[in-house]
Amino acid sequence: MPVLVITGTGTEIGKTVVTAAVAAAALAGGRSVAVLKAAQTGVRPDEPGDAQEVARLAGAVTAAEVARYPEPLAPGTAARRAGRAPVHPQEVAEAADKLATEHDLVLVEGAGGLLVRFDATGGTLADVAGLLGAPVLLVASAGLGTLNTTELTARELRSRGLELPGVVIGSWPGAPDLASRCNLADLPVVAGAPLLGALPAGAGSLPPTVFRPTAPHWLAPRLEGTWDADAFRTREAP
């Protein structure tokens, strides 16, 4: 798995922190890691973006971006409003391929959900994954409403012949409600893929010295962690 694409069921659900956790687990296993942000929006030129945040949390990763736009909008819209060239899926795939020649693992983080548009022709992160032939890890929210968006994204991935290795919950609440606890059983069913982890709410606010050694405990062995889905479900069962 030299390249892993990471998408979400929406925005602000923990993609960047999950990306950091996957990177930290891989680094702990002795692998070299690069993180590529396909299109960074909503930050100024002098501000750190998501790839830099992954590096801050995870450690010695190569952080890269294909394009950056100042307004917090979908990449295609942000590029148009800024009067700048949009990013195209082929550019992202080429950047990931180059990083893959120099690293054991390349994590490609999208913006928003799977089908958020990069350009006027409708290019998306799904197209990037198709060009790369890469699996797509899906980050989902824990609570009410997540089953619909998770199933829609999983269906789109399958319709394109893309591999979905599993789902990671981007922010597991300290006091989960009934819907969240039930979703531990229902998410793998609607996704047609296993749960591969759950990050505690606020994980991104932990000091890097705490985040890095703890991250593998939030992820399943397929992501080089030690998290046990069955034990977690039993503990949180309604």
Side-chain angles (χ1 to χ4, degrees), residues 11-37:
T11 191
E12 300 298 328
I13 57 167
K15 287 191 305 296
T16 298
V17 182
V18 169
T19 301
V22 174
L27 288 169
R31 304 178 73 189
S32 60
V33 180
V35 176
L36 178 65
K37 184 69 176 182

Side-chain angles (χ1 to χ4, degrees), residues 71-230:
E71 294 181 315
L73 302 168
T77 304
R80 184 180 70 247
R81 284 181 52 83
R84 300 179 185 175
V87 63
H88 301 292
Q90 185 66 43
E91 295 175 79
V92 182
E94 289 172 357
D97 273 334
K98 183 177 186 302
L99 289 167
T101 67
E102 303 160 349
H103 299 81
D104 299 321
L105 176 65
V106 179
L107 303 175
V108 181
E109 183 186 345
L114 180 69
L115 298 183
V116 169
R117 295 191 171 202
F118 288 159
D119 56 30
T121 65
T124 68
L125 189 68
D127 296 312
V128 174
L131 289 167
L132 291 167
V136 181
L137 182 68
L138 180 57
V139 181
S141 58
L144 197 63
T146 194
L147 299 180
N148 180 63
T149 52
T150 297
E151 183 163 2
L152 286 171
T153 305
R155 287 188 181 191
E156 179 66 21
L157 289 169
R158 285 195 294 271
S159 76
R160 291 171 176 254
L162 296 172
E163 179 189 354
L164 172 60
V167 178
V168 174
I169 296 173
S171 180
W172 182 254
D177 60 14
L178 178 61
S180 297
R181 288 179 284 140
C182 289
N183 286 340
L184 290 173
D186 293 338
L187 276 168
V189 174
V190 301
L195 269 181
L196 293 182
L199 272 65
S205 299
L206 293 172
T209 52
V210 176
F211 184 94
R212 294 169 191 175
T214 310
H217 300 296
W218 304 326
L219 301 171
R222 183 160 185 182
L223 296 175
E224 303 189 49
T226 59
W227 186 79
D228 185 327
D230 291 335

Side-chain angles (χ1 to χ4, degrees), residues 227-237:
W227 186 79
D228 185 327
D230 291 335
F232 191 82
R233 274 193 292 264
T234 299
R235 190 187 79 193
E236 303 289 347

Side-chain angles (χ1 to χ4, degrees), residues 56-86:
R56 184 187 72 82
L57 287 170
V61 306
T62 298
E65 297 172 358
V66 178
R68 174 179 285 220
Y69 309 106
E71 294 181 315
L73 302 168
T77 304
R80 184 180 70 247
R81 284 181 52 83
R84 300 179 185 175

